[in-house]
Amino acid sequence: MSDRPGGESVAVTRTGTGADPGTDLQIIESLARGELRVAARLISRIESGDPAILPLLAALHARGGKTPLIGITGPPGAGKSTLVDQLIFRYRQQGKRVAVLAVDPSSPFSGGAILGDRIRMNRHSADEDVFIRSMAARGRLGGLAIAAGDALLVLDAMGWDVILIETVGVGQSEIDILRHAHTVVIVQTPAGGDAVQALKAGVLEVGDIFVVNKADAAGADRTVSQLREALSFRSDAQEPESWHAPVLKTQAVEGLGIDELVLSIAAQAEFWRSHPQQRATRRRLQTRLLLIDQIAETLHQRQQAGDRQQRFEQLLDEVLARRCDLHTAASRLLDHAMK
Amino acid sequence: MPQQKIRCLLAMLGTDVHNKGIRTLAQLLRDRGVEVIYLGEHNTAGGVINALIAEDADVVGLSYSTATYLHYTRDLLDKMRTAGVGDVPLMLGGLIHADDEPALREMGVRGIFGPGSTMDQIVEFLQTATGKTLPGGAAAGA
């Protein structure tokens, strides 16, 4: 990496002017041409909850679903960003163009966030065939998976060869993002009790590939065998025609074990291709859960429109005074919101 | 509910490694409700600009502890204009000599926050430069 100014490339040709991006059709064409600034602005509008982009998102959804989406999750400090950096490196070697959506938590107190995942991916900063976008959770709960999904629609429309989604596996809303992924990679470390923590968090069931990173640390083999044992109890473990999630060891900082991870991801994609029935079942389950998320989110948004916010506060007062219980209050609000 | 967050890119250019100040600023800005995209040290102008575009940041902040800041800042601003993002406000912090401030402003630097600057000054700058309000931002000055 050069540390003097000058010399490195900036994706000037694809930044666009930043002016009015035009009609929905023009935006879709801009995205298909890979105009980064149009995509970046669109993701900002998704993040701020701009309702004016809903028709565009519907159009993107109708055309989407083409790009492989790989989800990567794990506890803070497990090495997710470093693994993503290594995956970007390997995919670039294969000539693939890569987009990354990195989701980080927001402070529940200030609403602010520090989005630092890019640091680990800094060596790709001058590569115009790598697009990295950070997204803060913004306290959205179920809405986070929706917002992330909408951002993924934008990336999908740009014709990247692969999209990586990185999210901290700490909260349900972060785990829910994985419902968009075709392949889910769960990252653990040998640090005490992590395999058991994975069980507790319920992430064991959603993983397609398990990675024990920092495999040079003490206890790595024990963590691997604990994970393998836990996976053997998974409901699909005994079915001959199901995908059997492998447990891999990596040292992401050193780049060790990454080739095996890349091969595993490819093998998993191949499994979906050769097992369309299983793939359809999985997609249906994921989409069912997303639709339930969306119902809650849509109701929540309607609730906040105009005088409904006031009604919400009034019913909240009723619940606090114990003149109305939570079930009844919710039913009343929903009956109102459905109108 | 629309949430208009201020997204602020923080970075250091070149070989400058004294990151204590910018790391502290990142945390203080987060606590004021800013979404900080933190790039750390050893960035190139091109890398900062690519991140600025991908992240659709509202403002860029650079920290310097070495004397090469005039050179690096001019280079970054030139490249920002070439890339079509010259309109994004740039603020500097760290060891900036008062004698250099007119030259930096002349180049297009919008905010300069050396030692002794307060968070309220920086927050007020962010709100003015981006046209967005921070939660409690207006009251924060009191």
Side-chain angles (χ1 to χ4, degrees):
Chain A
M1 181 176 49
S2 166
D3 59 18
R4 64 190 163 75
E8 74 276 5
S9 78
V10 176
V12 179
T13 48
R14 293 197 284 124
T15 57
T17 59
D20 177 18
T23 65
D24 285 358
L25 195 62
Q26 286 168 326
I27 293 177
I28 291 170
E29 284 168 0
S30 300
L31 290 175
R33 280 195 301 272
E35 283 186 24
L36 304 176
R37 212 171 178 193
V38 171
R41 292 245 158 123
L42 204 49
I43 294 174
S44 296
R45 290 175 70 189
I46 289 166
E47 289 197 287
S48 64
D50 180 355
I53 56 168
L54 291 179
L56 173 59
L57 292 176
L60 292 178
H61 182 265
R63 291 150 199 252
K66 298 182 190 77
T67 320
L69 301 179
I70 300 162
I72 292 140
T73 195
K80 295 177 293 299
S81 299
T82 310
L83 268 175
V84 168
D85 168 71
Q86 293 285 4
L87 287 175
I88 298 171
F89 185 74
R90 291 302 196 285
Y91 286 132
R92 292 298 296 129
Q93 281 184 325
Q94 297 176 4
K96 290 180 175 165
R97 302 170 61 248
V98 188
V100 179
L101 184 69
V103 183
D104 268 333
S106 293
S107 159
F109 301 109
S110 70
I114 295 178
L115 310 168
D117 295 321
R118 296 187 78 96
I119 296 181
R120 312 279 178 231
M121 309 168 197
N122 217 347
R123 62 173 156 161
H124 309 290
S125 67
D127 184 347
E128 60 179 270
D129 288 324
V130 177
F131 181 86
I132 302 164
R133 175 63 181 239
S134 318
M135 191 175 216
R138 296 193 183 178
R140 269 179 288 228
L141 300 175
L144 178 59
I146 304 294
D150 291 344
L152 291 169
L153 283 179
V154 173
L155 297 178
D156 187 21
M158 296 176 74
W160 302 100
D161 294 312
V162 60
I163 299 173
L164 306 174
I165 318 151
E166 180 193 336
T167 170
V168 184
V170 286
Q172 194 60 49
S173 57
E174 282 85 359
I175 304 271
D176 290 349
I177 297 172
L178 300 173
R179 289 169 185 164
H180 299 287
H182 305 134
T183 303
V184 174
V185 180
I186 310 250
V187 186
Q188 299 285 310
T189 66
D194 259 356
V196 181
Q197 295 302 327
L199 284 171
K200 276 191 202 169
V203 293
L204 202 67
E205 295 82 353
V206 299
D208 298 308
I209 296 165
F210 289 80
V211 169
V212 177
N213 191 35
K214 308 187 186 183
D216 53 330
D221 289 328
R222 189 162 147 263
T223 306
V224 169
S225 42
Q226 280 179 344
L227 270 170
R228 287 204 174 119
E229 188 186 17
L231 287 167
S232 72
F233 294 126
R234 218 162 85 160
S235 61
D236 57 358
Q238 305 307 325
E239 292 170 26
E241 283 300 294
S242 71
W243 168 259
H244 297 292
V247 182
L248 310 173
K249 285 200 287 188
T250 59
Q251 286 169 247
V253 171
E254 309 293 336
L256 298 176
I258 311 300
D259 289 333
E260 290 78 0
L261 176 57
V262 170
L263 285 173
S264 257
I265 292 170
Q268 212 274 337
E270 184 50 41
F271 173 83
W272 287 140
R273 267 190 290 277
S274 56
H275 295 75
Q277 186 63 46
Q278 281 90 333
R279 177 166 67 174
T281 306
R282 155 89 157 245
R283 267 326 283 161
R284 193 169 183 84
L285 173 64
Q286 286 180 318
T287 312
R288 179 187 301 279
L289 296 169
L290 285 169
L291 183 55
I292 293 168
D293 278 349
Q294 183 65 64
I295 293 168
E297 180 67 12
T298 302
L299 283 169
H300 181 62
Q301 280 167 5
R302 285 191 190 176
Q303 200 49 60
Q304 291 185 322
D307 59 334
R308 284 180 176 152
Q309 181 67 36
Q310 201 184 345
R311 187 175 160 75
F312 183 96
E313 295 298 328
Q314 284 167 355
L315 270 164
L316 182 61
D317 288 335
E318 295 291 299
V319 174
L320 283 166
R322 297 198 176 263
R323 285 191 294 269
C324 182
D325 74 321
L326 288 168
H327 295 280
T328 312
S331 290
R332 280 194 208 162
L333 284 168
L334 290 185
D335 289 346
H336 195 67
M338 299 293 273
K339 281 175 198 159
Chain B
M1 180 176 51
Q3 285 182 301
Q4 289 292 341
K5 296 278 184 189
I6 295 177
R7 284 169 70 86
C8 175
L9 199 77
L10 291 184
M12 296 176 73
L13 290 168
T15 54
D16 203 333
V17 291
H18 293 95
N19 61 12
K20 195 85 169 185
I22 199 165
R23 277 165 53 193
T24 306
L25 180 68
Q27 292 180 28
L28 292 170
L29 287 178
R30 175 200 61 197
D31 294 343
R32 293 294 190 104
V34 176
E35 284 183 0
V36 177
I37 300 127
Y38 184 68
L39 298 189
E41 55 270 37
H42 302 310
N43 290 281
T44 61
V48 168
I49 291 166
N50 285 341
L52 163 61
I53 291 165
E55 300 290 354
D56 193 24
D58 300 299
V59 57
V60 178
L62 300 175
S63 173
Y64 292 111
S65 66
T66 59
T68 50
Y69 52 78
L70 281 167
H71 175 62
Y72 276 111
T73 305
R74 183 177 290 112
D75 179 65
L76 177 70
L77 283 165
D78 285 347
K79 287 180 173 149
M80 279 172 68
R81 287 184 196 107
T82 308
V85 288
D87 55 326
V88 178
L90 176 68
M91 64 174 180
L92 307 185
L95 301 176
I96 309 289
H97 200 282
D99 291 353
D100 290 325
E101 288 197 15
L104 289 165
R105 301 249 181 221
E106 180 75 16
M107 277 176 213
V109 173
R110 298 272 297 275
I112 299 171
F113 302 99
S117 304
T118 66
M119 271 312 287
D120 286 342
Q121 287 171 328
I122 297 173
V123 163
E124 194 187 323
F125 166 79
L126 288 178
Q127 296 189 121
T128 311
T130 65
K132 294 181 179 178
T133 17
L134 286 167

